């Protein structure tokens, strides 16, 4: 069955361009120009991924991302004309998995879509799912690789594939400090850049879902200048 991708951009030329490239790759594409239309499609279709423009006429893409994340875990890519780190961090903190800055190469966007879909299918029981049946329990935090399930004190945590992979990596290496560079290259499979705040934004999102105080977290602790650790 074709993966279904939502494309939301009020610039019709951009939405049409993205739709053409993704359709040529065999994806079923649902393109629209407003957040209201997007939410209707999200409610109606079983989507595999969404591409959201930040600047929309009725709701900004960050708010739309947050609305989608209330009930859905499929990957979200943000399209933004702004290159500031604060915008990127905002999107990632609200649940986006990646971002592409306009103007962008359609081929790069397609490559990022494929990467996100591979990761999503792998860690959500799709084709190519990880065969491991490892399960880790740390002081009430239980995480299962095979079932792609994580609970904290018996309550299930709704994690995106990236959030799950970050937490799994930290739990698997509990007691050790994992640098931001190691974490990024392990989870994203790309080379880490010194000014990359992606890991920090996702750690903040994870702590929020775990109801962890940023200054005195019980689980994911920051080792300043080094990285992150979860104590056994």
């Amino acid at each position: 069955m074709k993966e279904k991708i939502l494309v939301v951009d009020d610039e019709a030329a951009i939405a049409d361009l993205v739709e053409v490239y993704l359709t040529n790759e065999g994806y079923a594409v649902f393109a629209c120009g407003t957040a209201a239309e997007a939410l209707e499609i999200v409610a109606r279709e079983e989507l595999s991924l969404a591409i959201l423009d930040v600047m929309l006429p009725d709701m900004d893409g960050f708010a739309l991302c947050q609305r989608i994340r209330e009930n859905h875990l499929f990957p979200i890519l943000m399209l933004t004309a702004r290159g500031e780190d604060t915008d990127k961090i905002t999107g990632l903190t609200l649940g986006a998995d990646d971002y592409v800055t306009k103007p962008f190469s359609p081929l790069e966007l397609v490559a990022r879509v494929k990467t996100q879909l591979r990761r999503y299918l792998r860690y959500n029981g799709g084709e190519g799912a990880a065969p491991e049946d490892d399960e880790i329990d740390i002081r009430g935090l239980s995480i299962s690789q095979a079932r792609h399930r994580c609970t904290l004190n018996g309550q299930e945590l709704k994690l995106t594939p990236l959030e799950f992979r970050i937490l799994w990596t930290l739990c698997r290496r509990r007691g050790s400090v994992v640098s931001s560079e190691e974490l990024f290259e392990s989870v994203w499979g790309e080379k880490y850049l010194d000014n990359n705040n992606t890991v920090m934004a996702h750690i903040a999102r994870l702590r929020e879902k775990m109801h962890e105080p940023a200054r005195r977290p019980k689980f994911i602790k920051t080792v300043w200048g080094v990285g992150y650790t979860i104590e056994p």
Side-chain angles (χ1 to χ4, degrees), residues 151-220:
T151 61
L152 179 59
N153 298 323
Q155 298 294 314
E156 185 167 2
L157 298 178
K158 294 185 177 180
L159 305 180
T160 66
L162 280 174
E163 291 166 351
F164 183 90
R165 185 62 176 160
I166 290 170
L167 190 56
W168 172 258
T169 300
L170 291 173
C171 287
R172 185 170 54 83
R173 297 186 54 183
R174 57 197 179 279
S176 301
V177 179
V178 183
S179 70
S180 295
E181 180 177 352
E182 286 181 90
L183 203 51
F184 184 85
E185 293 184 358
S186 172
V187 173
W188 277 264
E190 300 175 11
K191 187 168 180 58
Y192 180 83
L193 301 176
D194 289 340
N195 62 349
N196 195 323
N197 293 305
T198 303
V199 172
M200 180 181 69
H202 278 82
I203 291 289
R205 180 71 173 171
L206 264 172
R207 284 174 173 159
E208 180 183 337
K209 289 187 175 183
M210 296 168 73
H211 305 291
E212 290 256 86
R215 293 184 179 276
R216 300 186 65 183
K218 180 181 176 183
F219 291 101
I220 305 175

